[in-house]
Amino acid sequence: MTPESSSPAGMRRDYTERGALLESDLAADWTGQFTRWFADAQAAGLPEPNAMIVATADADARPSARTVLLKGYDERGFVFFTNYRSRKGVEALSNPVASLVFPWFAMQRQVLVAGAVVPVDRVETEAYFATRPRGSQLGAWASPQSQVLPDRAAVEAGLAAAIERFGTEGEVPAPPHWGGLRVVPETVEFWQGRGSRLHDRLRFRRTGEGFVVERLAP
C-alpha cells in the first residue's frame, strides 16, 4: 500500500492486512489481552513497543502529551517513572487523571487507556531506580526536567555536578523528587484496524463489580 498523495489529506491506507478483533478473541481480562498484544508487538520487532503517549492536563484543563516508556503493568495499572517536578509530574499529581496510547501502527493496532493517577510507593521507586544505568541515574539528578535552560551547557553542567556529588562508582540514590506514577485504568480499549475505516474497538470498562466489555462504533 502506498500513499495516494504527498498531502496529508491524501495519505490513505486501508487496514485490511491484520484480521479482526472479535469478542470471542478477547482474553478474560484486560491484563491478559494487553499481555497478548504486547507480546505480538515485541515479536513483530516494533522499535520500543513499550513506548506510549501519556496525556495529562493542568488545573485549567489545558492538555499536554509526550512519549514515555512503560516500565511495568499488572492488574493495578500501568507504571512509568518521571521527575515529579516536570510538567507531566506536576500535572499528574495536581490533576490526577491521565490517558495513554500505545501506537502500534505497524500492526494496525492501538491500545488506549484512561484512568486515575497514583504515585507508586517509595520502595518500588527505589527498586526500579537501582536497575537503571548509572548515566540515567545521574541524569535524574542532573536535569531540572521541563524547566527553561539558557543553553546546552547548562545540561552538561548539571551532569558534571551530579558526577562530582556521587562520583563514578557506588550507589546513586533515587532523587526525592523522582518516582513512579501508576495509571489505574477506568477503561482499556483495544483497537484493531479494519477495511473502510470500520475498525474493531473493544473496551474493558470498570464498574462497581469489575470490568465489562463493550464494542464501540468505529
Side-chain angles (χ1 to χ4, degrees), residues 42-120:
Q42 294 177 78
L46 268 62
E48 295 194 296
N50 61 326
M52 59 185 183
I53 299 165
V54 178
T56 56
D58 65 16
D60 295 319
R62 291 174 297 194
S64 63
R66 73 291 291 161
T67 302
V68 175
L69 297 180
L70 175 72
K71 293 302 181 179
Y73 71 94
D74 56 26
E75 68 281 357
R76 296 172 296 170
F78 298 85
V79 173
F80 64 95
F81 292 84
T82 188
N83 186 322
Y84 289 150
R85 299 171 184 168
S86 67
R87 180 173 182 176
K88 63 181 173 295
V90 169
E91 291 182 353
L93 292 173
S94 62
N95 184 19
V97 290
S99 293
L100 312 175
V101 180
F102 293 87
W104 297 328
F105 301 133
M107 303 182 68
Q108 300 175 1
R109 289 176 175 175
Q110 301 179 77
V111 179
L112 303 97
V113 180
V117 178
V118 296
V120 307

Side-chain angles (χ1 to χ4, degrees), residues 6-212:
S6 60
S7 167
M11 293 181 177
R12 297 186 178 90
R13 292 177 180 268
D14 199 15
Y15 295 160
T16 59
E17 300 177 353
R18 297 289 179 172
L21 178 62
L22 304 179
E23 286 80 352
S24 58
D25 298 325
L26 286 179
D29 52 38
W30 71 261
T31 53
Q33 185 62 33
F34 185 83
T35 296
R36 287 180 185 175
W37 274 22
F38 189 54
D40 288 347
Q42 294 177 78
L46 268 62
E48 295 194 296
N50 61 326
M52 59 185 183
I53 299 165
V54 178
T56 56
D58 65 16
D60 295 319
R62 291 174 297 194
S64 63
R66 73 291 291 161
T67 302
V68 175
L69 297 180
L70 175 72
K71 293 302 181 179
Y73 71 94
D74 56 26
E75 68 281 357
R76 296 172 296 170
F78 298 85
V79 173
F80 64 95
F81 292 84
T82 188
N83 186 322
Y84 289 150
R85 299 171 184 168
S86 67
R87 180 173 182 176
K88 63 181 173 295
V90 169
E91 291 182 353
L93 292 173
S94 62
N95 184 19
V97 290
S99 293
L100 312 175
V101 180
F102 293 87
W104 297 328
F105 301 133
M107 303 182 68
Q108 300 175 1
R109 289 176 175 175
Q110 301 179 77
V111 179
L112 303 97
V113 180
V117 178
V118 296
V120 307
D121 63 51
R122 196 64 190 169
V123 171
E124 187 174 347
T125 285
E126 291 173 352
Y128 168 70
F129 192 82
T131 70
R132 301 185 93 202
R134 189 177 188 83
S136 297
Q137 292 177 333
L138 293 170
W141 284 96
S143 174
Q145 192 175 10
S146 300
Q147 303 304 307
V148 175
L149 297 177
D151 50 32
R152 176 68 191 187
V155 177
E156 304 298 340
L159 179 58
I163 293 173
E164 181 177 1
R165 179 175 181 178
F166 297 108
T168 57
E169 297 181 358
E171 180 182 358
V172 178
H177 55 271
W178 189 97
L181 295 172
R182 176 176 286 110
V183 178
V184 181
E186 292 295 325
T187 59
V188 183
E189 177 186 335
F190 295 89
W191 185 103
Q192 174 67 66
R194 296 289 299 272
S196 301
R197 294 297 187 262
L198 298 177
H199 311 305
D200 285 326
R201 299 174 61 191
L202 296 182
R203 179 176 71 182
F204 289 84
R205 178 173 60 83
R206 187 186 298 273
T207 70
E209 299 178 352
F211 283 86
V212 297

